Amino acid sequence: MDSDEDDRIPLSQRPEWSDVTPVPQDDGPNPVVPISYSKEFAETMGYVRAVYLADERSHRALQLTAEAIHFNAGNYTVWQFRRLILEALNADLHDELEFVEHLASKNSKNYQLWHHRRWVAEKLGTEAAGRELEFTKKIFVNDAKNYHAWSHRQWVLQTLGGWEDELAYCDELLEDDIFNNSAWNQVSYAVKAILTKPENESSWRYLRGLYKNSMPSFVMDRRVSTVCLTVLTTKANCVFALSLLLDLLSNGFEPNQELKNAVEALLPESRDQDSDMAVTICSVLEIVDPMRVNYWRWRKKSLHSEVEEGVRNLRVH
Amino acid sequence: QSFKFKLCVLEKIHKISWKNLLEISLTRPVINKQATGDGVYRMIGMEPSSSSPEWKPTVSQEEQWILERQVFHIYQLFCNIPPKSQAVMLELQRDNHIEYLMKGLRHLGPSFSVLDAKYFTLSLCALMVRCRNSFLYCHLFTALLLSSRPWICYWILHSIALLGESVDDALEHNAIHFISRCQDQHGGYGGGPGQASYFSMPHLATTYAAVNSLITLGGHRSLGSINRVKIYSFLRRMKHTSGGFSMHDGGEVDVRACYTAISVACALNILDEDLVQGVGDYILSCQTYEGGIAGEPGSEAHGGYTFCGLATMILVNEVNRLDLASLTDWLVFRQGVEGGFQGRTNKLVDGCYSFWQGGAAVLIQRLHAAAGEGHSSVRSNESFTSSEFSDDEELLEGTSSGMAEISPDVEEDGSHLKFFAASTQMVEGGFRDKPGKNRDHYHTCYCLSGLAAAQYSWSKDADSPPLPRSVLGPYSNLLEPINPLCNIVLKQYNEARQFFSKPL
């Protein structure tokens, strides 16, 4: 409905609206900050007021709100009314996604638009997740730091799921512009999300991959060890956390007492703990990850040379 | 000894389009800029490093350089003009600002013929386009101009008050009358007048703007027009299960909503446990790993939301729950080499952040000061319900003892002033985001508010005048003192507190 002003037929001339009397705006006798409205806008709002006051939740009312929104996408009252109409009509919300998408390019920083989008997506549920993530990606092409789009993306991941590939997407963005703070923020958010699904290997691997060329930063990033600690204390699904911790230790990481305690708590009483935390971890892994028991035994044996090399690398930087 | 950089190189660059500018910068050696004490920038030529021969700037870098070049060019010009002209540049253009502001109150937008319908549309579109050019935060509070006339009222009235002026009786009468028509019968203010004639749901942001406007106008008629009982019930309706607030019925929940609700409640003396409950938890969950505060949990740390969050936490007496050390650290790094403030890490500076970020810095300074004086709690709860407003003044009173070491002084080297004078102030009146953008009332309001906040940050107490060095420029630049939490001129704020001293 991006029709030229000239193509638009005034509402007063449309037969389907002949039964409605528009309600004019009344600013009062001496308004301040008066705004100069176009005739077309003023007319549209006159009809919107009429249907709003009559609480008419019909198809024509829906179409009218679309016209009003095109004139002024910031009118939160019209958007709210539109939602009431959509509910009353039990409208197909996929069409609604189209409607918002159409407006988005020119209104990408509009609160009402994004709030409305969120409302629609929530109603559609998990099936909408993929499309919502694609939608935000499109916005990022032109504005990689659009605040609303990032908030929306986070809401989608949180509510509708789909964050497995999130770290990979952030990596793409950061490769393009390492200064994109919004992408960095998203990495942090995704790392936190690992806490909710510690059994997903992808994110652990991805986290490692993200830092693969800068092991010292990885070792020193407190958030990484914090993630490990939190997972270990829940005592469930700790294989990846333990494995990551093992790598950190091999690269010169110095664990605090809390971490040491958390690891020791995982070792059954029958087993002796070693003063070397890495050895203890390997012992635990032999038990909790029996499929790879030989691998963990081999890691235990190779520990000394691993640590030496790791610490050497750490010192170089 | 500092030396001036080669202006001829910059001049040549300035005349070329930005795409060519980029090509040039790629072929030139990598340049490091180093700020010297008096605001002149020294450029050191360096050979491109061998480890990155094909180095290409990112979008962030590109945008930043373009802005730096523009701003440094202006500073260079500044350095080359005689002292008398420099003094003029640093001066607040009071008369022109007032003229711009008064005009806006009476008639928004360009003047045009009533008869020409097409021109109507064009001017409206021009307005809308200008709005879009502003940053996110310029939309943060506005549901576009057309649904937020109380906002424009506030920006203009507050700016006029900061400049120490007032509006004439007729205009005052009209403003009160107009804003009152935006009041909803069930409480709160909407974006436009009248329930019956112009429908507009009450909205927290417009309520904040309306209340602040009326308080700024002051006087019995203005303050008496505010229905506190209804506003209280509106605020209660907006309360959300998360502890935060919704902007309107069925609206978004975020830190802005918390601030607007709590600020209004404090100004009207209707804050109570039911409104406060959970707000601290919600805002705390919005402080990010960077140290700043986001709009919603998980989002990026942002200047506008940081001010909102910090001010709210102070108002509900839970500020010590925040990690103030990391907030302070993030905040001080938001001041750019240009002198102004950016809203987020690695984004461009913008005049309005002189208040959001600069104002937050002032709040932090006050907190340090109050802590230094040995107050057990920075702000006592009693002031919410008591008729005394002296506790507010306690907070607003600063003390410079010990502040130098522990609080961030963002004004000391004068770079903020230079940014303000050279990059945001328009000689013909009004303020803008940055060079290349147009002036608007939003930026006028927040550039001036930022200046006012900074001027009083070093005062020993609310009554004593600020030290000359903190005025920024000639003493004639001194603005009216403000309550930096609600961003209302102090005198009017105190008058309102007196007027609303009786609890509901």
Side-chain angles (χ1 to χ4, degrees), chain A residues 108-160:
Chain A
S108 64
K109 295 185 179 180
N110 175 300
Y111 272 95
Q112 288 65 43
L113 180 134
W114 286 100
H115 179 65
H116 191 76
R117 182 90 191 188
R118 202 182 280 206
W119 180 87
V120 174
E122 187 160 32
K123 290 239 167 212
L124 287 171
T126 39
E127 50 135 312
R131 182 171 177 168
E132 289 314 288
L133 296 176
E134 275 314 305
F135 175 57
T136 56
K137 272 196 194 181
K138 274 196 212 141
I139 301 288
F140 294 142
V141 167
N142 292 317
D143 180 6
K145 303 179 186 181
N146 185 309
Y147 200 87
H148 296 284
W150 278 109
S151 295
H152 185 70
R153 195 174 172 87
Q154 288 193 344
W155 174 85
V156 171
L157 292 170
Q158 221 164 274
T159 320
L160 309 178

Side-chain angles (χ1 to χ4, degrees), chain A residues 37 49 111 115 147 177 182, chain B residues 60 120 140 197 201 250 300 305:
Chain A
Y37 304 103
R49 269 178 227 119
Y111 272 95
H115 179 65
Y147 200 87
D177 183 358
S182 307
Chain B
S60 298
F120 257 66
L140 205 65
S197 55
M201 272 194 308
E300 201 182 347
Y305 295 119

Side-chain angles (χ1 to χ4, degrees), chain A residues 5-6 23-41 45 48-50 52-53 69-81 83 105-112 115 118-119 143-148 150-152 154-155 158 174-189 192 223, chain B residues 58-61 104-108 110 112 117-118 120-121 123-124 127-128 132 134-136 139-147 149 152-153 156 171 174-175 177-178 181 189-193 195-203 206 248-252 254 256 288-290 293-302 305 344-347:
Chain A
E5 291 301 331
D6 298 326
V23 176
Q25 175 165 324
D26 180 11
D27 269 4
N30 294 299
V32 287
V33 296
I35 301 200
S36 323
Y37 304 103
S38 72
K39 256 187 15 198
E40 293 79 4
F41 174 72
M45 289 311 294
V48 173
R49 269 178 227 119
Y52 181 79
L53 293 169
I69 285 167
H70 273 98
F71 275 114
N72 173 17
N75 192 319
Y76 57 90
T77 309
V78 178
W79 281 104
Q80 181 64 8
F81 183 43
R83 286 189 279 276
S105 54
K106 295 220 174 82
N107 295 284
S108 64
K109 295 185 179 180
N110 175 300
Y111 272 95
Q112 288 65 43
H115 179 65
R118 202 182 280 206
W119 180 87
D143 180 6
K145 303 179 186 181
N146 185 309
Y147 200 87
H148 296 284
W150 278 109
S151 295
H152 185 70
Q154 288 193 344
W155 174 85
Q158 221 164 274
L174 287 170
E175 231 184 271
D176 200 51
D177 183 358
I178 195 81
F179 297 92
N180 186 338
N181 199 59
S182 307
W184 280 109
N185 186 68
Q186 192 74 340
V187 168
S188 168
Y189 170 80
K192 274 205 209 143
R223 290 176 294 171
Chain B
T58 71
V59 169
S60 298
Q61 285 179 304
L105 211 47
R106 295 197 174 93
H107 186 82
L108 196 71
F112 46 77
K118 250 213 172 109
F120 257 66
T121 319
S123 56
L124 189 70
L127 257 171
M128 289 168 77
R132 273 201 294 279
S134 310
F135 270 121
L136 161 77
H139 280 150
L140 205 65
F141 284 108
T142 36
L144 252 193
L145 285 183
L146 298 158
S147 297
R149 287 160 71 187
I152 311 172
C153 273
I156 294 176
L171 210 46
N174 293 338
H177 188 68
F178 172 77
R181 292 174 70 93
Y189 293 78
Q195 251 303 69
S197 55
Y198 183 124
F199 73 120
S200 195
M201 272 194 308
H203 190 287
T206 44
H248 60 84
D249 188 21
E252 64 273 22
D254 61 29
R256 268 182 319 159
T288 83
Y289 66 94
E290 286 195 84
I293 299 173
E296 295 175 80
S299 294
E300 201 182 347
H302 185 290
Y305 295 119
R344 305 182 248 167
T345 308
N346 287 332
K347 289 211 76 180

Side-chain angles (χ1 to χ4, degrees), chain B residues 44 102 119 234 348 373 378 398 404 476 504:
Chain B
I44 310 160
M102 293 295 186
Y119 192 45
F234 169 60
L348 302 176
E373 292 276 273
V378 175
S476 57
L504 271 188

Side-chain angles (χ1 to χ4, degrees), chain A residues 207-224:
Chain A
L207 196 58
R208 266 191 224 182
L210 199 65
Y211 284 92
K212 76 175 178 299
N213 293 323
S214 50
M215 193 41 85
S217 334
F218 194 45
V219 169
M220 302 215 264
D221 191 336
R222 263 186 323 148
R223 290 176 294 171
V224 178

Side-chain angles (χ1 to χ4, degrees), chain A residues 125-305:
Chain A
T126 39
E127 50 135 312
R131 182 171 177 168
E132 289 314 288
L133 296 176
E134 275 314 305
F135 175 57
T136 56
K137 272 196 194 181
K138 274 196 212 141
I139 301 288
F140 294 142
V141 167
N142 292 317
D143 180 6
K145 303 179 186 181
N146 185 309
Y147 200 87
H148 296 284
W150 278 109
S151 295
H152 185 70
R153 195 174 172 87
Q154 288 193 344
W155 174 85
V156 171
L157 292 170
Q158 221 164 274
T159 320
L160 309 178
W163 60 272
E164 290 77 22
D165 305 314
E166 196 59 8
L167 285 172
Y169 178 58
C170 291
D171 194 33
E172 262 178 57
L173 290 175
L174 287 170
E175 231 184 271
D176 200 51
D177 183 358
I178 195 81
F179 297 92
N180 186 338
N181 199 59
S182 307
W184 280 109
N185 186 68
Q186 192 74 340
V187 168
S188 168
Y189 170 80
V191 164
K192 274 205 209 143
I194 286 173
L195 294 172
T196 64
K197 291 249 164 56
E199 72 278 11
N200 184 341
E201 185 182 347
S202 310
S203 27
W204 291 101
R205 295 230 161 258
Y206 197 74
L207 196 58
R208 266 191 224 182
L210 199 65
Y211 284 92
K212 76 175 178 299
N213 293 323
S214 50
M215 193 41 85
S217 334
F218 194 45
V219 169
M220 302 215 264
D221 191 336
R222 263 186 323 148
R223 290 176 294 171
V224 178
S225 51
T226 307
V227 166
C228 290
L229 178 61
T230 311
V231 175
L232 292 178
T233 44
T234 63
K235 293 192 182 169
N237 299 305
C238 14
V239 173
F240 303 124
L242 287 167
S243 169
L244 182 59
L245 207 47
L246 188 60
D247 283 349
L248 290 176
L249 290 168
S250 310
N251 282 282
F253 172 66
E254 283 167 22
N256 60 13
Q257 194 56 47
E258 244 188 310
L259 262 174
K260 289 187 189 157
N261 294 343
V263 168
E264 276 153 31
L266 293 170
L267 201 60
E269 278 172 29
S270 54
R271 298 289 294 268
D272 287 328
Q273 66 200 26
D274 197 287
S275 56
D276 185 344
M277 191 171 158
V279 172
T280 310
I281 289 180
C282 289
S283 305
V284 174
L285 281 165
E286 286 169 36
I287 300 167
V288 300
D289 191 23
M291 191 181 303
R292 282 163 276 273
V293 64
N294 291 329
Y295 174 65
W296 298 121
R297 282 189 187 141
W298 173 75
R299 287 293 301 269
K300 193 189 270 181
K301 266 195 242 147
S302 336
L303 272 174
H304 281 292
S305 46

